[in-house]
Amino acid sequence: MDMQILGQQAQQASFELATASTAQKNAALLAIADELEAREAEILAANANDLAAAREAGIGEAMLDRLTLYPERLAGIASDVRNVVNLNDPVGSEIDCRVLENGMRLSRRRVPLGVVGVIYEARPNVTIDIAALCLKTGNASILRGGKETFQSNMALVAVIQAALEKSGLPAHSVQYIAKPDRELVAQLLKLDQYVDMIIPRGGAGLHKMCQENSTIPVIIGGFGISHVYVDDSVDVDKALDVIENSKVQRPSACNALDTLLVDQAVADSLLPKLVERMNQAKVSLVADASAYAGLSGAAELREAADGDFDTEWLSFTLGVKVVADVDEAIAHMREHNASHSDAILSYRMPAIEKFVNAAGSAAVYVNASTRFTDGAQFGLGAEVAVSTQKLHARGPMGLEELTSYKWIGVADMLVRS
């Protein structure tokens, strides 16, 4: 596979997409959704091969869930593509406009980024999400998914490219690095002549590798330790509902709860009930010394070791620590990479305001589960990533975050004096 050719093809496709109408792009998206349904058997067969290989490799159940496609899930993916059709196309819209003293009308107009390279792991639905959002915003994309979903992704990209050709848009608008060779990823990170942005979706190691090796701007996201801090002003049972949802609803997701911080004022009443809930959900607890005695009835419990509170569990494991107050909770979060999704469960407004303002997270919740950090849940349709950096985009990256802007100055034969 020649990455230079891949980059050239993507760039040429991006030139055509930049001038495609919203109607053309929407027609291609509808064709993709239809093709996903028409070729369901082919896609699920490829996914079954990936799952068989993953089980043989000893991959755990939480990761297997991320890999799995089945008819209902595939139908949901097709529905998500149709939802993107219904979203407003940001390309061509004006961010702001003013008339200068010299008579020039000056505005900023949204434009596509160009070519987006996305490196991601595990979930095959990400392939469709990225392709749909990039197409809607007039961006070409070069994709490289994890080896665990190689056959699934190849089948999905074949579906996308077939739909593009039927719609009259270039098939090279969406391309896939069809070899698991890591050297090809290294080459992608150097294609700054053709690629305008790199988005890694995966663990800290992937993000660090991209930051250190890319000559292309990198959007950092998808990784971060998610925390919930709870104080004694809330109803314990209602708080436990939120805690359980944050941890258990989909533990393999990047916005699932990793560390529970319990105010010492509520620890005696909350910890025993937490044990009951987590035992029922078969969640293993990793306890700081401050919380260990209060969790003694847990079916699976161990003392926290170095690095545990810096671990994104992505599984049925939960870290627990008792803290003196909201200030200690914030201090713990700052030390342990609270950059993704974090929540406070409290009815004390001073504590809430302090937490919201002090948390360095891309998404902060008050009395709500961390699981809402998601493009579809935010009404963005889907997301290409969840950015945890502080420049350009933060949180779920939907359509607007996949655009840049250009200045447009309009006058009547105006010259500068």
Side-chain angles (χ1 to χ4, degrees):
M1 173 166 281
D2 189 323
M3 293 300 294
Q4 289 289 323
I5 293 176
L6 204 71
Q8 291 168 6
Q9 291 171 337
Q11 187 180 67
Q12 185 57 46
S14 75
F15 295 155
E16 297 183 46
L17 288 174
T19 58
S21 68
T22 299
Q24 287 176 295
K25 294 183 289 187
N26 284 344
L29 291 170
L30 291 173
I32 290 171
D34 292 343
E35 200 78 4
L36 286 170
E37 293 171 343
R39 296 169 67 169
E40 176 188 293
E42 174 187 335
I43 296 166
L44 296 183
N47 184 247
N49 291 335
D50 284 332
L51 290 172
R55 289 191 178 95
E56 189 174 334
I59 289 177
E61 287 302 317
M63 182 61 72
L64 285 172
D65 175 64
R66 300 183 82 179
L67 304 178
T68 302
L69 292 175
Y70 44 81
E72 293 79 10
R73 187 170 281 182
L74 192 59
I77 293 170
S79 177
D80 288 343
V81 175
R82 294 189 176 101
N83 288 340
V84 174
V85 172
N86 296 325
L87 298 175
N88 291 331
D89 183 355
V91 175
S93 63
E94 287 190 349
I95 300 172
D96 51 38
C97 173
R98 64 185 184 274
V99 177
L100 305 181
E101 289 185 4
N102 61 16
M104 178 183 291
R105 181 186 185 275
L106 190 64
S107 64
R108 288 187 295 160
R109 182 180 298 176
R110 290 198 180 276
V111 296
L113 294 170
V115 178
V116 179
V118 187
I119 307 165
Y120 53 103
E121 300 170 354
R123 295 160 55 190
N125 65 292
V126 173
T127 301
I128 301 298
D129 288 348
I130 295 166
L133 292 177
C134 284
L135 286 169
K136 181 79 175 192
T137 49
N139 293 296
S141 55
I142 298 176
L143 312 179
R144 203 277 195 175
K147 63 182 180 181
E148 300 86 358
T149 52
F150 180 77
Q151 294 194 47
S152 303
N153 286 332
M154 292 300 293
L156 291 170
V157 171
V159 164
I160 293 167
Q161 291 181 338
L164 287 168
E165 289 182 339
K166 289 180 180 178
S167 306
L169 292 178
H172 291 140
S173 300
V174 180
Q175 297 182 90
Y176 194 82
I177 299 177
K179 289 184 180 179
D181 189 346
R182 287 193 175 185
E183 176 57 31
L184 296 179
V185 174
Q187 291 178 33
L188 172 64
L189 297 178
K190 305 296 184 185
L191 288 179
D192 51 272
Q193 184 178 353
Y194 307 111
V195 179
D196 299 284
M197 179 180 286
I198 294 290
I199 302 176
R201 289 186 54 153
L206 173 62
H207 289 269
K208 184 177 180 182
M209 184 270 289
C210 290
Q211 280 182 304
E212 292 179 349
N213 295 283
S214 179
T215 58
I216 305 164
V218 177
I219 289 283
I220 297 301
F223 174 80
I225 310 305
S226 290
H227 304 78
V228 168
Y229 164 69
V230 55
D231 72 14
D232 66 334
S233 68
V234 297
D235 181 283
V236 167
D237 291 324
K238 291 181 180 179
L240 286 166
D241 289 341
V242 176
I243 293 164
E244 183 174 4
N245 180 264
S246 297
K247 176 71 259 180
V248 174
Q249 197 263 343
R250 194 169 184 183
S252 62
C254 57
N255 55 18
L257 176 62
D258 297 302
T259 300
L260 175 64
L261 302 172
V262 181
D263 194 294
Q264 62 185 7
V266 76
D268 288 344
S269 58
L270 186 143
L271 292 182
K273 291 188 174 183
L274 175 71
V275 167
E276 293 178 15
R277 294 281 192 111
M278 296 301 100
N279 283 348
Q280 290 173 5
K282 299 182 179 179
V283 173
S284 301
L285 299 179
V286 176
D288 179 79
S290 61
Y292 192 85
L295 299 170
S296 59
E300 293 190 43
L301 172 67
R302 66 172 175 84
E303 293 183 6
D306 288 346
D308 279 339
F309 287 112
D310 297 304
T311 300
E312 187 181 21
W313 297 112
L314 302 176
S315 65
F316 286 94
T317 303
L318 176 64
V320 185
K321 180 178 181 177
V322 174
V323 294
D325 51 27
V326 68
D327 291 310
E328 187 178 341
I330 291 166
H332 175 95
M333 290 166 59
R334 286 175 173 167
E335 182 180 352
H336 298 285
N337 192 19
S339 58
H340 197 294
S341 302
D342 298 278
I344 179 172
L345 308 184
S346 173
Y347 288 114
R348 291 195 173 94
M349 287 309 300
I352 290 170
E353 283 302 307
K354 178 175 285 189
F355 186 95
V356 168
N357 292 331
S361 324
V364 182
Y365 297 95
V366 177
N367 299 327
S369 169
T370 60
R371 285 285 292 120
F372 286 101
T373 311
D374 174 86
Q377 292 292 321
F378 278 19
L380 305 177
E383 70 194 36
V384 72
V386 176
S387 170
T388 54
Q389 66 176 25
K390 296 184 179 180
L391 297 178
H392 172 61
R394 295 198 81 189
M397 291 182 63
L399 297 176
E400 286 192 359
E401 289 73 26
L402 284 173
T403 64
S404 182
Y405 62 84
K406 63 174 63 171
W407 291 93
I408 310 293
V410 179
D412 185 10
M413 304 304 170
L414 182 67
V415 297
R416 180 172 174 174
S417 59

